[in-house]
Amino acid sequence: MRCVLSDGVALVSDHYYPDAGSAGDGPWPTLLMRQPYGRDIASAVVYAHPVWFARHGYHVVIQDVRGRGDSEGEFYAFRHEGRDGAETIEWLRQHAACNGRIGMYGFSYQGSTQLLAAAENPEGLVCIAPHMTAADLYHGWFYHQGALRLTSTLGWGIQMLREDARRRGLRAASDRLEMAWANVRAQASYVPYAEHPAIVDAELPDYVRDWISHRQAGEFWSELDISSRYDKIRVPALHISGWYDTYLEGSIAGYIALREKAGSQFARDNQYLLAGPWVHIPWGDRVGDQNLGPEANLDTDGLLLRWFDHWLKGSSAFSNEPRVRYFALGENKWHEADAWPVETSLSLYLHSAGNANSHKGDGALSVDAPVEDEPRDVFNYDPEVPVMAPGGPLAMSGPHDQAVMEMGNNLLVYTMSAASSEMRIVGQPRVTLYAATSAASADLTVKLVRVTLSGRAEFVCIGIARSSWLFRKTGYAADAVRYWEFTLEPTAVVIAPGELLRLEIASSAFPLYDRNPSTNVAPQNADNWNWGRSTQQILHTAEYPSALHLPVDGGVR
């Protein structure tokens, strides 16, 4: 069916209807998904097919967004989704199959279309279910504390531009994009990446180039998301995130922001969070080569059905659900809470005799702060040979074994003594590091690792800070000791008795993040002609007590 918007653009949707014999003659409550990948796909890679929801008494609508599939207009990621979504909801309220009560669902971009539509406060929208997405695009989708999420940004950009090239009849551009897409994870190695031949064609839309060039938070980003207008959202939301999802931090941050800033007490009280052990796609009990146990196979379709039955049918089916449900890694069990834990309650200090390089070194974590002037730990950073991402050269997501990577001297490793009792980390770890670097521009990356009884060094979570972002207000200078304080991504993990907790420090996690050239050249414009090597020093003394701060036992606000 065609929905004609106020500017004359027609958006096309598929509609699925209940069996009138079992669900009555209608009209029915409506579920809406707005997505850019072809409406026939309907995100069935993670959700039940729309037919399944229709069988449970819903009129289900899957719409191609502006400029995608069979819909008219020009696509520019995020830009039109608020108004277009609100006008679609207004149109659906008049549809013969709709009883005037509408809910939205979907993950990734389809999650963003919900948030943007909800911020328009359209009449008839009762609830949303944004999954694995970000309310703040700069901080939660594209950049992580100043560093571009390179693999996901470039890969998704290439994916989206493919349809633009076909719609515009650009055969040469299409061929370049298809060639890049055939080996998409390798494209992050192209330098300078702002000049990647698949994205620079002037006849293609410029949204990918815009993501890369707008390296600071500001008006460009806030016009595309809801980060400056959380108070406009006044509906309940069911947020789903994954511990190994690209948009993990953005998803949980969106939940927290709406708990605090949504436009009504009703909306603030009815934000729900489910944090599972999943990657972006798919959601289940396997991540990489790891079996996360039977509890990881949560029935998310059943949960979603209860959510919509509660708000759209008045069934009270969601009344007994916890505000927060999270999966504890290591233990591989679900837990419930009234709010997302954010407090830190345990500080572990860095120690060494000056040789914390690699897991063969003498780096240690202890609850005792340094009382002596311990030697500095020193490592080199070379953007031509960067420390790789937790998932290796392809930046694959998941609890990958870091043991081989930890053999290199180009990173520091600090390990806590074997746990004598269970340690439960639930929330967002934070580091406070005293560091000096010879680079004109520098990154510090920090990984949290769980070493199992078998010796597997399992990746838990990561954080990065770029000097140009962290010291944007105070200024940064090479060779000076600076105080680096920044967060890692959220997690929930149990360190069992006998297991080890480990902290890694490096200056890259490529190609998860773009590499810092160590020079004053912008990262997107840098290549091996203007990369520079640098020396980094981490201090841990009585005067400079570098530390890891953990939310142990899940302190809750």
Side-chain angles (χ1 to χ4, degrees):
M1 299 188 68
R2 291 164 57 88
C3 167
V4 181
L5 304 175
S6 58
D7 64 357
V9 169
L11 305 184
V12 178
S13 54
D14 287 340
H15 293 240
Y16 302 82
Y17 303 93
D19 180 354
S22 60
D25 295 330
W28 306 277
T30 294
L31 303 184
L32 170 64
M33 177 190 293
R34 306 189 63 252
Q35 56 83 52
Y37 303 111
R39 64 190 185 278
D40 53 331
I41 294 174
S43 294
V45 66
V46 294
Y47 300 116
H49 193 276
V51 168
W52 185 83
F53 291 102
R55 288 172 182 157
H56 286 84
Y58 288 95
H59 166 225
V60 186
V61 180
I62 313 297
Q63 184 184 68
D64 289 329
V65 302
R66 178 187 294 252
R68 313 303 282 183
D70 293 320
S71 290
E72 298 173 354
E74 296 294 324
F75 178 77
Y76 187 102
F78 307 103
R79 178 167 287 168
H80 305 286
E81 307 306 354
R83 190 66 248 157
D84 288 1
E87 291 193 18
T88 296
I89 290 167
E90 180 181 356
W91 170 72
L92 282 174
R93 289 181 62 240
Q94 311 305 317
H95 193 285
C98 178
N99 69 1
R101 298 180 66 79
I102 299 167
M104 296 184 73
Y105 76 109
F107 84 117
S108 198
Y109 193 85
Q110 297 86 279
S112 184
T113 61
Q114 297 174 63
L115 294 167
L116 289 162
E120 300 292 322
N121 201 22
E123 185 176 352
L125 181 63
V126 176
C127 63
I128 59 177
H131 302 157
M132 296 197 177
T133 190
D136 183 326
L137 292 175
Y138 176 79
H139 294 100
W141 189 297
F142 291 98
Y143 288 85
H144 189 184
Q145 296 171 160
L148 179 70
R149 291 180 167 94
L150 180 59
T151 299
S152 60
T153 298
L154 189 58
W156 185 55
I158 289 170
Q159 178 186 6
M160 302 307 284
L161 288 173
R162 290 161 65 232
E163 181 166 344
D164 294 308
R166 290 193 295 266
R167 288 174 71 100
R168 298 183 182 201
L170 304 175
R171 187 55 187 262
S174 177
D175 288 346
R176 285 191 294 270
L177 286 160
E178 292 299 334
M179 184 176 298
W181 181 247
N183 191 16
V184 67
R185 286 188 175 268
Q187 302 311 310
S189 294
Y190 188 94
V191 291
Y193 64 82
E195 298 178 18
H196 193 296
I199 68 172
V200 296
D201 193 317
E203 294 184 280
L204 289 172
D206 54 6
Y207 52 83
V208 179
R209 300 189 291 274
D210 289 344
W211 302 338
I212 291 171
S213 63
H214 288 84
R215 302 192 67 88
Q216 302 293 332
E219 185 176 351
F220 169 80
W221 296 105
S222 62
E223 287 182 348
L224 298 178
D225 63 26
I226 65 164
S227 61
S228 63
R229 48 200 177 108
Y230 292 113
D231 61 327
K232 300 299 183 182
I233 292 185
R234 298 172 186 171
V235 295
L238 171 61
H239 307 258
I240 293 182
S241 60
W243 295 139
Y244 300 111
D245 177 41
T246 304
Y247 311 125
L248 163 64
E249 187 164 7
S251 186
I252 291 183
Y255 158 79
I256 293 172
L258 289 173
R259 273 294 302 266
E260 298 175 349
K261 302 176 183 178
S264 69
Q265 191 63 48
F266 170 74
R268 292 190 292 273
D269 288 344
N270 287 288
Q271 300 297 313
Y272 290 77
L273 173 65
L274 177 74
W278 306 308
V279 295
H280 200 58
I281 304 172
W283 310 344
D285 62 352
R286 307 299 171 105
V287 178
D289 62 351
Q290 294 300 293
N291 185 338
L292 298 173
E295 289 198 25
N297 278 326
L298 187 72
D299 181 9
T300 50
D301 290 319
L303 183 74
L304 199 55
L305 187 63
R306 294 196 300 277
W307 172 256
F308 288 127
D309 284 351
H310 181 95
W311 295 109
L312 300 181
K313 295 183 178 180
S315 71
S316 299
F318 217 77
S319 296
N320 296 323
E321 294 290 337
R323 286 293 189 269
V324 173
R325 180 184 297 177
Y326 65 88
F327 188 93
L329 300 168
E331 183 185 47
N332 292 350
K333 291 183 179 180
W334 291 98
H335 296 272
E336 300 177 357
D338 294 328
W340 176 243
V342 296
E343 295 179 1
T344 56
S345 55
L346 175 67
S347 295
L348 298 175
Y349 294 91
L350 279 58
H351 297 272
S352 82
N355 188 24
N357 306 74
S358 85
H359 65 205
K360 299 175 291 184
D362 58 14
L365 292 174
S366 170
V367 295
D368 299 319
V371 295
E372 300 177 351
D373 288 339
E374 299 176 0
R376 300 181 180 189
D377 287 310
V378 182
F379 68 97
N380 296 322
Y381 166 62
D382 183 352
E384 192 163 1
V385 190
V387 172
M388 290 295 166
L394 298 181
M396 301 299 289
S397 300
H400 297 286
D401 191 349
Q402 306 300 292
V404 172
M405 193 179 305
E406 290 174 351
M407 294 170 61
N409 282 341
N410 54 353
L411 78 167
L412 306 178
V413 177
Y414 300 89
T415 306
M416 188 177 181
S417 299
S420 58
S421 60
E422 185 179 85
M423 178 188 294
R424 309 182 68 85
I425 302 168
V426 184
Q428 191 155 24
R430 176 174 58 92
V431 292
T432 52
L433 303 176
Y434 293 90
T437 170
S438 65
S441 175
D443 291 352
L444 288 181
T445 62
V446 173
K447 279 190 290 184
L448 201 63
V449 171
R450 165 181 163 254
V451 183
T452 67
L453 296 177
S454 68
R456 177 183 171 85
E458 195 166 278
F459 169 70
V460 175
C461 63
I462 192 169
I464 187 171
R466 181 155 291 171
S467 59
S468 57
W469 176 86
L470 190 62
F471 304 110
R472 60 194 181 281
K473 295 180 179 179
T474 60
Y476 164 83
D479 298 317
V481 176
R482 298 304 303 264
Y483 178 71
W484 295 64
E485 179 177 12
F486 58 96
T487 57
L488 284 64
E489 293 199 323
T491 190
V493 62
V494 175
I495 309 299
E499 294 184 336
L500 306 175
L501 181 69
R502 180 171 286 170
L503 185 75
E504 296 178 15
I505 299 176
S507 280
S508 62
F510 178 78
L512 177 65
Y513 307 120
D514 62 346
R515 61 189 122 189
N516 196 321
S518 294
T519 64
N520 289 319
V521 177
Q524 71 271 26
N525 299 324
D527 60 16
N528 56 1
W529 285 90
N530 41 51
W531 285 335
R533 300 186 183 99
S534 58
T535 301
Q536 332 293 38
Q537 303 178 59
I538 302 296
L539 291 72
H540 38 83
T541 66
E543 183 181 2
Y544 300 115
S546 294
L548 165 68
H549 308 280
L550 296 172
V552 172
D553 292 330
V556 176
R557 70 173 174 189

